[in-house]
């Protein structure tokens, strides 16, 4: 994050420098139930607001503080949001407020805002809080007239504050708000649930127990569904899709079959609002008693409760909240008197602004569909992401008898290539089970292409991948070896095992390996089969995909370590930490980790820097040490510069900071590759691999239209693909077409979406910079609800 001048851009772009906040006042409040990440959103609103020259106010204790006024409405400073990023809950407080629901309460609130000339309101809360804000906005001019009549404000104040602008951000662990793939707090709540499930699984296996877990979600089953998908639960109960009548026998039969196949544990997840087809509640105690009565299994109930709301926010929630907070300020600056109240959300990797009331209306329609027992409709209204989760869970959870399976007579091999990445095992499990469900015989290749040419290939069955979702690393084994020198032997092994399709899960070597195999098709007929790659690497450096399996887990490892280091730096005062992250030449981990951890500076290969930039960064930290925030955090991507090494930067900062601050350095190393996969990586791996296997099945059927023994029709480009997430959609792209998008020397894509986050990170660290907002929420018209058919399987 060198302090160099921003490169000149074309005039077609729109920069936020033209959006001045001078003379404007913005207030931020958190309302309703707390959610991890709310503080990151508050911090982003405050810092972005101050950055553009606006006055920013905290409203403490939600709407109650707005009604009570006084010390509850305080001006915020840059320093007042320091150290908030890693704190769970909401530092400025939240409260349910009955008074704001009355006209008198809203009149008091309006008076308190007008006294401080606050006409821009940023509300972080659930649909109730946002609906309240919209009503307040609609009544605003009437409230001003009343205050004028009562002599509480003068004509000039009424004129000056004539329009109230509202921008909402959804903070809710339930992810129950339509129009956004993820709400602030959902990912962190999943982290809490999965930590508990992982801990429970070890004790359940020791004693051959069944555990019934009750998770939050009175009206929405998202947490229950996604955690069931992420841990491979045997059964899940959610309000949107009650089980068919007679489910009791089906569930007990499934649990019994699972035990008879050698499984030592069963996990059943119940959303607190789970119901049956008649609308009667299904409680965790009822499920437990049923299992004990019918099967005699040793069964325990664990109710997670408010644990799910607690703890530090995940890296995902911090980044989501920071991006949404900045976008909310931009939306307020651009708002005119006729702009409707809007909600800021991120879909895939895009910022979206949507009319608040259209989102609220759709959210209410879900409940209406459930009340009318139109459960399929309720699932559809929840959106494509929810539907994808449900269909993937169904696909993976129930093993049909062999006699019920279609017999495709195709053999499909699955392998890991490159460095290990958390989530690889979840992807392999998903691929194996979907493949078996579709009638294929599945083969596992151990140790990547090296194991392939050595013949380390064996059939892998349904039960062999049980319990794999939560395992880190690669259980199949993985190597960086490329196939190029061993094509003869690999072709021979494909012939011996009659491999008809190949699924490769891995990093840059997997991508290059697939290119090598597909290029050799004219020489080796054996490679004329469907081949698909699923990106899995902590570095997130694969062309054709915005995200890779494993990078979210690595980001959480970096963020957790930075939190601890910041704590140490705060304790000792005047200390700067230089931290080296992985990623090769790709600066994704350093940049996004820096955004999530609140770094002052991040050095990456993609943004060249020189000694003057280093000097400017040291000077910036020297100024910071004069404030109340006496600590610094500098991230350096491992290959950002061959001469400015971590040691060099550490020594430079030590020398230049002498007498002002002292330095420490920390190289995170392979810690970033290890550990249990995050809920995002488990789910992303599970869904992407399932989608890849379905593509293999379709391609095999299309290629062998005349039956298995007919000569296949293979188009080289269309049948060697990479499945990646691009903006909002999961896309199959021929690897040959991705060649031109690749910098093979540095093993990175030529264009990377996350570079747009760098100015945002600099702004939040108090650097002056240029921020291109032409890609912000303008992409979708503010009056249009996002169409449900768009593929947003990017959300977990």
């Amino acid at each position: 994050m060198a302090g160099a001048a921003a490169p000149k851009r074309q005039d077609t772009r729109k920069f936020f420098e033209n959006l001045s906040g001078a003379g404007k006042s913005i207030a931020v409040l958190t309302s309703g139930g707390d959610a991890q990440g709310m503080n990151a959103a508050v911090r982003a609103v405050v810092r972005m607001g101050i950055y553009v020259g606006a006055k920013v106010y905290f409203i403490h204790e939600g709407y109650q503080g707005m009604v009570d006024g006084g010390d509850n409405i305080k001006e915020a400073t840059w320093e007042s949001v320091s150290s908030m990023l890693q704190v769970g809950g909401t530092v400025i407080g939240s409260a349910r407020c009955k008074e704001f629901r009355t006209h008198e309460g809203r009149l008091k609130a309006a008076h308190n805002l007008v006294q401080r000339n606050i006409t821009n309101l940023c509300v972080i809360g659930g649909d109730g809080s946002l609906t309240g804000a919209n009503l307040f906005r609609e009544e605003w001019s009437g409230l001003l007239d009343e205050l004028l009549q009562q002599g509480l404000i003068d004509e000039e104040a009424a004129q000056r504050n004539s329009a109230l602008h509202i921008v909402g951000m959804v903070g809710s662990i339930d992810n129950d708000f339509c129009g956004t793939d993820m709400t602030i707090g959902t990912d962190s709540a999943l982290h809490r649930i999965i930590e508990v499930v992982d801990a429970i699984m070890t004790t359940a296996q020791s004693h051959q127990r069944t555990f019934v877990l009750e998770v939050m979600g009175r009206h929405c089953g998202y947490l229950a569904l996604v955690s069931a998908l992420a841990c491979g639960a045997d059964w899940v109960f959610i309000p949107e899709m009650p089980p068919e009548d007679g489910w009791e026998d089906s569930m007990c039969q499934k649990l019994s079959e699972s035990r008879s196949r050698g499984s030592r544990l069963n996990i059943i997840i119940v959303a607190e609002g789970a119901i049956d087809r008649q609308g009667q509640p299904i409680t965790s105690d009822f499920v437990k008693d049923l299992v004990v009565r019918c099967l005699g299994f040793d069964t325990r109930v664990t109710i997670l409760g408010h644990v799910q709301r607690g703890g530090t926010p995940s890296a995902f929630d911090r980044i989501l909240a920071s991006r949404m907070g900045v976008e909310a300020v931009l939306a307020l600056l651009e708002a005119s008197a006729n702009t409707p109240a809007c909600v800021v959300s991120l879909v895939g990797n895009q910022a979206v602004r949507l009319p608040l009331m259209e989102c609220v209306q759709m959210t209410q329609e879900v409940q209406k569909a459930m009340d009318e027992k139109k459960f399929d409709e309720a699932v559809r209204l929840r959106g494509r992401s929810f539907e994808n989760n449900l269909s993937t869970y169904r696909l993976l959870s129930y093993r049909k008898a062999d006699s019920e399976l279609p017999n495709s007579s195709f053999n499909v091999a699955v392998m890991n290539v490159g460095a290990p990445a958390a989530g690889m095992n979840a992807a392999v499990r998903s691929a194996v089970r979907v493949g078996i469900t579709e009638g294929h015989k599945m083969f596992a290749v151990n140790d990547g292409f090296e194991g392939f040419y050595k013949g380390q290939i064996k059939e892998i069955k349904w039960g062999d991948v049980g319990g794999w979702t939560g395992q880190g690393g690669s259980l199949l084994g993985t190597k960086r070896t490329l196939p190029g020198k061993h094509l003869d032997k690999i072709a021979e092994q494909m012939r011996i095992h009659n491999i008809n399709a190949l699924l490769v899960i891995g990093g840059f070597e997997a991508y290059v390996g697939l290119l090598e195999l597909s290029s050799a098709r004219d020489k080796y007929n054996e490679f004329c089969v469907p081949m698909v790659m699923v990106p899995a690497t902590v570095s997130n450096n694969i062309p054709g995909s915005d995200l890779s399996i494993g990078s979210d887990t690595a980001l959480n490892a970096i963020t957790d370590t930075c939190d601890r280091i910041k704590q140490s730096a705060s304790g000792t005062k005047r200390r700067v930490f230089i931290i080296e992250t992985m990623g090769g030449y790709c600066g994704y981990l350093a940049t996004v980790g820096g955004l999530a951890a609140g770094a002052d500076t991040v050095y990456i290969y993609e943004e060249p820097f020189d000694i003057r930039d280093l000097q400017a960064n040291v000077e910036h930290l020297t100024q910071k040490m004069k404030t109340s925030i006496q600590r610094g955090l500098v991230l350096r991507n491992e290959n950002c510069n061959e001469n400015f090494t971590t040691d060099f930067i550490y020594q430079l900062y030590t020398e230049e900071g002498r007498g002002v601050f002292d330095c420490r350095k920390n190289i995170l190393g392979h810690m970033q590759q290890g550990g249990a996969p995050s809920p995002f990586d488990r789910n992303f791996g599970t869904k992407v691999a399932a989608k890849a296997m379905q593509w293999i099945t379709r391609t095999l059927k299309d290629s062998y239209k005349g039956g298995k023994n007919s000569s296949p029709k293979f188009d080289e480009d269309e049948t060697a693909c990479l499945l990646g997430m691009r903006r909002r959609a999961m896309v199959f792209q021929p690897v040959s077409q991705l060649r031109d998008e690749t910098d093979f020397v540095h093993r990175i894509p030529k264009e990377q979406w996350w570079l747009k986050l760098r100015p945002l990170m600099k702004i939040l660290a108090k650097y002056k910079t240029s921020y291109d907002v032409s890609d912000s929420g303008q992409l979708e018209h503010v009056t249009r609800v996002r169409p449900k058919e768009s593929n947003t399987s990017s959300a977990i």
Side-chain angles (χ1 to χ4, degrees):
M1 175 171 124
K8 286 182 179 168
R9 302 255 176 93
Q10 295 171 351
D11 294 338
T12 52
R13 306 218 177 178
K14 186 173 68 170
F15 294 94
F16 83 94
E17 287 89 317
N18 308 327
L19 299 170
S20 168
K24 294 188 176 180
S25 295
I26 298 171
V28 58
L29 71 129
T30 52
S31 173
D34 63 311
Q36 310 96 318
M38 279 183 163
N39 291 322
V42 169
R43 170 181 177 268
V45 169
V46 169
R47 291 198 166 172
M48 187 64 173
I50 292 171
Y51 187 90
V52 297
K55 265 189 172 182
V56 187
Y57 291 86
F58 291 135
I59 299 179
H60 291 274
E61 311 307 332
Y63 287 119
Q64 192 64 57
M66 203 196 290
V67 171
D68 295 343
D71 284 344
N72 287 306
I73 305 177
K74 280 188 189 151
E75 192 173 346
T77 65
W78 193 275
E79 284 83 20
S80 63
V81 291
S82 174
S83 301
M84 276 172 78
L85 195 57
Q86 62 268 34
V87 179
T90 165
V91 169
I92 59 173
S94 180
R96 312 274 179 196
C97 178
K98 283 184 181 165
E99 210 176 340
F100 189 75
R101 291 179 186 171
T102 68
H103 185 76
E104 271 57 49
R106 291 193 290 278
L107 192 65
K108 280 188 200 170
H111 187 215
N112 288 327
L113 294 188
V114 171
Q115 283 178 315
R116 295 165 180 82
N117 293 316
I118 296 169
T119 54
N120 295 285
L121 208 52
C122 186
V123 181
I124 306 164
D127 59 345
S129 308
L130 298 179
T131 307
N134 191 62
L135 176 64
F136 189 42
R137 178 184 161 278
E138 286 172 350
E139 289 182 350
W140 184 254
S141 58
L143 295 170
L144 290 191
D145 289 345
E146 278 185 64
L147 292 170
L148 200 57
Q149 283 163 15
Q150 291 174 21
L152 292 169
I153 61 170
D154 58 25
E155 189 70 52
E156 191 203 340
Q159 287 284 303
R160 206 170 47 239
N161 299 284
S162 59
L164 179 67
H165 305 299
I166 304 271
V167 172
M169 284 184 267
V170 190
S172 159
I173 67 166
D174 291 332
N175 202 28
D176 56 353
F177 195 80
C178 292
T180 178
D181 278 352
M182 285 293 269
T183 57
I184 296 169
T186 305
D187 187 65
S188 302
L190 285 170
H191 273 257
R192 298 295 93 78
I193 295 169
I194 294 304
E195 281 160 19
V196 171
V197 172
D198 284 354
I200 275 176
M201 277 178 139
T202 55
T203 181
Q205 275 181 318
S206 304
H207 295 277
Q208 289 202 31
R209 278 193 180 135
T210 297
F211 267 91
V212 181
L213 250 80
E214 184 181 301
V215 302
M216 281 184 165
R218 196 166 299 130
H219 305 293
C220 178
Y222 188 89
L223 288 178
L225 177 57
V226 172
S227 48
L229 199 51
C231 72
D234 295 274
W235 203 273
V236 63
F237 295 96
I238 58 171
E240 292 88 344
M241 188 50 75
E244 299 291 342
D245 291 342
W247 61 268
E248 296 90 342
D249 292 340
S250 306
M251 185 186 79
C252 289
Q253 186 186 343
K254 186 183 173 194
L255 297 181
S256 176
E257 282 174 8
S258 158
R259 281 291 169 96
S260 66
R261 284 197 299 270
S263 170
R264 292 179 60 85
L265 81 155
N266 300 110
I267 301 279
I268 299 165
I269 295 183
V270 184
E272 61 180 332
I275 50 171
D276 64 17
R277 292 264 151 183
Q278 280 64 52
Q280 295 305 305
I282 297 176
T283 65
S284 43
D285 281 331
F286 177 81
V287 175
K288 176 205 159 178
D289 293 344
L290 175 72
V291 174
V292 171
R293 188 174 71 249
C294 295
L295 299 172
F297 290 173
D298 185 358
T299 307
R300 301 281 193 276
V301 171
T302 301
I303 297 172
L304 297 192
H306 282 73
V307 164
Q308 294 158 87
R309 280 196 196 281
T312 186
S314 66
F316 184 99
D317 272 330
R318 297 181 199 197
I319 295 154
L320 178 73
S322 298
R323 291 180 72 183
M324 285 165 85
V326 167
E327 181 67 28
V329 172
L330 293 177
L332 286 170
L333 293 182
E334 290 176 11
S336 66
N338 342 322
T339 310
C342 77
V343 177
V344 170
S345 71
L346 281 171
V347 180
N349 288 317
Q350 275 182 282
V352 180
R353 295 178 200 170
L354 297 169
L356 189 151
M357 289 321 289
E358 287 186 27
C359 296
V360 168
Q361 215 171 339
M362 192 175 281
T363 304
Q364 289 167 350
E365 277 179 37
V366 177
Q367 192 55 51
K368 188 169 167 243
M370 283 157 62
D371 292 343
E372 292 171 1
K373 298 191 171 49
K374 295 177 181 169
F375 299 114
D376 289 329
E377 176 74 358
V379 168
R380 194 187 62 75
L381 286 167
R382 279 269 181 243
R384 182 57 68 93
S385 169
F386 192 91
E387 279 186 286
N388 280 348
N389 283 315
L390 187 56
S391 60
T392 309
Y393 176 76
R394 283 172 169 162
L395 201 58
L396 294 169
S397 64
Y398 196 65
R399 183 188 171 190
K400 292 179 182 172
D402 290 345
S403 56
E404 293 176 46
L405 293 172
N407 181 13
S408 76
S409 70
F410 289 120
N411 295 345
V412 180
V414 59
M415 64 196 295
N416 293 155
V417 176
M424 275 182 164
N425 297 321
V428 172
R429 168 189 176 266
S430 172
V432 168
R433 292 198 167 175
V434 172
I436 290 170
T437 303
E438 307 213 324
H440 310 315
K441 194 182 267 194
M442 298 300 296
F443 286 84
V445 180
N446 295 111
D447 299 337
F449 287 117
E450 192 171 307
F452 209 152
Y453 81 77
K454 288 179 178 172
Q456 296 171 9
I457 304 166
K458 61 178 192 301
E459 190 179 350
I460 186 163
K461 300 280 184 64
W462 184 280
D464 297 336
V465 291
W468 278 32
T469 45
Q471 304 275 336
S474 164
L475 292 170
L476 288 185
T478 182
K479 292 270 173 76
R480 291 182 181 271
T481 314
L482 289 169
K485 293 176 185 169
H486 312 285
L487 293 173
D488 280 347
K489 290 180 180 172
I490 290 173
E492 187 187 346
Q493 291 299 332
M494 288 187 76
R495 200 163 50 249
I496 292 168
H497 293 92
N498 191 20
I499 302 296
N500 306 111
L502 190 59
L503 171 61
V504 185
I505 300 160
F508 204 83
E509 289 86 359
Y511 164 61
V512 176
L514 209 56
L515 274 172
E516 290 181 356
L517 291 182
S518 61
S519 301
R521 280 176 161 175
D522 51 354
K523 199 172 169 193
Y524 300 97
N525 206 33
E526 291 81 3
F527 301 151
C528 293
V529 297
M531 297 190 270
V532 63
M533 177 202 162
V534 168
T537 165
V538 299
S539 305
N540 196 29
N541 62 334
I542 308 297
S545 190
D546 291 353
L547 291 177
S548 298
I549 299 162
S551 57
D552 184 71
T553 306
L555 276 178
N556 279 292
I558 293 167
T559 309
D560 290 348
T561 309
C562 288
D563 285 354
R564 293 177 191 197
I565 284 169
K566 276 169 79 174
Q567 209 169 39
S568 155
S570 298
T572 46
K573 300 275 191 295
R574 298 183 183 279
R575 181 163 282 176
V576 174
F577 275 87
I578 319 285
I579 296 171
E580 183 187 299
T581 67
M582 283 177 124
Y585 286 96
C586 179
Y588 176 80
L589 287 180
T591 296
V592 183
L595 183 59
D600 295 281
T601 310
V602 176
Y603 299 112
I604 62 168
Y605 165 76
E606 291 92 342
E607 193 172 288
F609 56 97
D610 59 24
I611 196 74
R612 290 182 296 278
D613 299 319
L614 291 167
Q615 185 63 48
N617 299 148
V618 172
E619 180 56 34
H620 189 267
L621 279 170
T622 305
Q623 292 304 314
K624 186 181 178 184
M625 294 298 162
K626 293 175 183 171
T627 71
S628 58
I629 319 168
Q630 297 181 344
R631 58 159 201 280
L633 190 62
V634 175
L635 266 59
R636 179 189 174 275
N637 163 243
E638 58 185 352
N639 287 351
C640 66
N641 188 298
E642 60 181 329
N643 295 315
F644 299 141
T645 61
T646 302
D647 277 339
F648 178 93
I649 291 176
Y650 163 67
Q651 284 163 359
L652 176 85
Y653 272 68
T654 301
E655 180 59 35
E656 294 295 318
R658 203 178 293 284
V660 182
F661 57 79
D662 67 342
C663 276
R664 296 287 185 274
K665 68 173 174 178
N666 204 313
I667 295 172
L668 300 186
H670 282 73
M671 184 195 81
Q672 296 157 85
Q673 267 183 7
S678 67
F680 185 98
D681 279 331
R682 294 180 195 203
N683 259 23
F684 194 51
T686 299
K687 290 204 289 196
V688 176
K691 204 172 178 74
M693 278 307 303
Q694 289 170 321
W695 175 86
I696 282 176
T697 301
R698 279 198 311 275
T699 311
L700 281 169
K701 281 179 181 167
D702 290 347
S703 305
Y704 289 96
K705 284 246 163 82
K708 178 72 170 65
N709 298 318
S710 67
S711 57
K713 300 169 189 64
F714 279 110
D715 175 296
E716 183 193 327
D717 274 359
E718 297 303 321
T719 56
C721 282
L722 179 144
L723 173 55
M725 195 191 87
R726 284 236 151 140
R727 290 170 88 80
R728 327 181 169 192
M730 297 300 302
V731 193
F732 289 94
Q733 304 144 96
V735 284
S736 57
Q737 288 177 16
L738 295 173
R739 265 182 213 276
D740 296 341
E741 298 180 25
T742 312
D743 172 352
F744 285 97
V745 176
H746 298 101
R747 298 158 55 92
I748 53 174
K750 288 178 183 171
E751 285 199 16
Q752 302 184 88
W753 69 271
W754 53 265
L755 285 167
K756 288 180 181 167
L757 298 181
R758 284 186 66 77
L760 188 147
M761 183 188 66
K762 294 177 190 181
I763 288 166
L764 296 178
K766 216 174 185 174
Y767 277 87
K768 286 285 174 202
T769 187
S770 204
Y771 186 33
D772 175 10
V773 296
S774 50
D775 195 34
S776 74
Q778 308 316 305
L779 286 159
E780 288 204 7
H781 198 272
V782 77
T783 56
R784 202 183 99 222
V785 172
R786 184 167 53 80
K788 284 294 150 196
E789 61 274 11
S790 72
N791 187 339
T792 54
S793 50
S794 56
I796 62 168

